[in-house]
Amino acid sequence: MSSTGTPNEAAITSYAHAPSRTVTAGGVTYAYRELGPKGGVPVVFFVHLAATLDNWDPRIIDPIAKGRHVIAFDQRGVGASTGQVPDSIEAMADDAYTFITALGFDKIDVFSFSLGGFIAQALVVKHPELVRKLVLTGTGPKGGKDIDKVAGTTYWDMLRATLTRSDPKEFLFFNRNTTGKSAARAFVNRLQERTADRDAKIKVKAFQTQLKAIKEWGRSTPDDLSQLAQPTLIANGDNDRMVPSVLSEDLHRRIKDSELIIYPDSGHGGIFQHHQQFAPLAVEFLAR
């Protein structure tokens, strides 16, 4: 690993200051950051399309890290991780399993968003013994209606962002009303709080391969999620244009005893817009 801690040092609970580390497994060097107190079951964060380590909202991750060991990582071929991005969600889940077991963990909690939620589902279906609790946000089930249209929505909003010199996430994640625009600016600014040791941006080919994998996931036969026994928290905004909000309700129906939160007047990034309400709920859910 690229950096090591000393046994008696105080736990870092700010993602902006979390050390960057690496671990090599299966011929791939995975970049990751960790924070929070060591020990117990870690919470592993699975990030969204085109995202690197620098795309996690500190207002979500920091509250969880106050009491839990948190790990965020770059998938193969993304950011500072080596190798090439796989062309299927299932292969991405295999990589995640390789990374997690390389760190020595045989039990984790999962916090996932968007594409990360697809990967998390594929992981728990294949390795149910690995996952204790599951948080699925801004995501949907395999074969979910209109997931295969994510690429079109993404490219359109990237164009809109370019024409207005904005971050594409302002269009992709938030409503374009007064509330949404304000929340979008605040979110994008929070992503800049880390000023040192920033991650490498995703390459165009890697991004396109992720989109191909998402399209395949959206057109594939659904997994049987009724078999999942993990406590599951599902959350989204009520106007998700990327992964339609109805798919969060679909997940809720498919996963027995799952909990569902739909935030009003918000889009794909509903948990970021409503972080003051959502973060304490996520902390409480993961602490049970």
Side-chain angles (χ1 to χ4, degrees):
M1 297 185 191
S2 61
S3 61
T4 57
T6 57
N8 297 318
E9 68 180 346
I12 293 172
T13 57
S14 166
Y15 191 61
H17 300 107
S20 296
R21 307 182 188 277
T22 60
V23 64
T24 300
V28 176
T29 298
Y30 294 92
Y32 69 101
R33 292 178 189 156
E34 61 181 338
L35 64 162
K38 299 286 184 67
V41 176
V43 184
V44 181
F45 278 63
F46 289 63
V47 78
H48 63 84
L49 168 70
T52 68
L53 290 170
D54 291 333
N55 287 99
W56 278 116
D57 187 344
R59 298 303 180 275
I60 297 292
I61 212 165
D62 290 1
I64 294 172
K66 282 187 171 64
R68 297 290 300 277
H69 183 191
V70 166
I71 298 167
F73 73 107
D74 279 334
Q75 285 277 346
R76 173 159 56 108
V78 176
S81 289
T82 65
Q84 293 186 334
V85 172
D87 61 2
S88 78
I89 300 299
E90 287 77 11
M92 294 177 190
D94 289 341
D95 287 339
Y97 183 79
T98 297
F99 165 73
I100 291 159
T101 54
L103 293 183
F105 298 115
D106 57 11
K107 188 72 70 177
I108 64 169
D109 288 345
V110 167
F111 187 107
S112 63
F113 174 63
S114 196
L115 166 62
F118 304 158
I119 300 168
Q121 289 173 64
L123 176 69
V124 75
V125 165
K126 191 168 185 177
H127 301 283
E129 75 291 341
L130 177 67
V131 179
R132 187 186 69 163
K133 289 186 178 180
L134 190 56
V135 181
L136 300 170
T137 67
T139 194
K142 186 177 183 179
K145 186 178 185 299
D146 292 340
I147 286 178
D148 61 345
K149 296 178 181 175
V150 165
T153 302
T154 300
Y155 284 129
W156 171 243
D157 280 358
M158 288 175 68
L159 174 61
R160 295 166 74 198
T162 299
L163 294 174
T164 56
R165 298 183 180 181
S166 307
D167 187 306
K169 289 184 289 296
E170 294 189 37
F171 290 86
L172 289 164
F173 287 12
F174 300 90
N175 290 340
R176 299 306 292 164
N177 56 18
T178 301
T179 303
K181 289 179 180 179
S182 175
R185 287 190 295 271
F187 170 73
V188 169
N189 288 338
R190 293 197 297 272
L191 298 186
Q192 302 302 316
E193 289 180 0
R194 184 185 184 97
T195 55
D197 190 25
R198 301 277 297 181
D199 201 357
K201 293 185 182 302
I202 192 168
K203 295 180 173 62
V204 172
K205 183 180 178 182
F207 169 61
Q208 291 172 336
T209 304
Q210 285 185 336
L211 285 173
K212 178 183 176 183
I214 290 171
K215 180 176 287 189
E216 180 188 325
W217 171 266
R219 293 179 177 176
S220 297
T221 303
D223 288 320
D224 179 11
L225 299 181
S226 67
Q227 65 183 295
L228 300 191
Q230 290 80 1
T232 303
L233 175 64
I234 301 163
N236 205 346
D238 65 353
N239 185 38
D240 189 338
R241 295 173 55 253
M242 291 198 74
V243 185
S245 303
V246 293
L247 296 182
S248 291
E249 297 169 7
D250 191 7
L251 279 174
H252 179 48
R253 284 190 296 270
R254 291 171 185 241
I255 302 175
K256 185 181 178 183
D257 297 329
S258 59
E259 301 172 40
L260 175 66
I261 305 168
I262 300 293
Y263 287 105
D265 192 24
S266 56
H268 191 55
I271 65 165
F272 308 127
Q273 180 172 326
H274 293 275
H275 64 85
Q276 291 178 317
Q277 293 80 32
F278 177 72
L281 289 174
V283 168
E284 187 274 330
F285 172 79
L286 290 167
R288 289 179 203 163

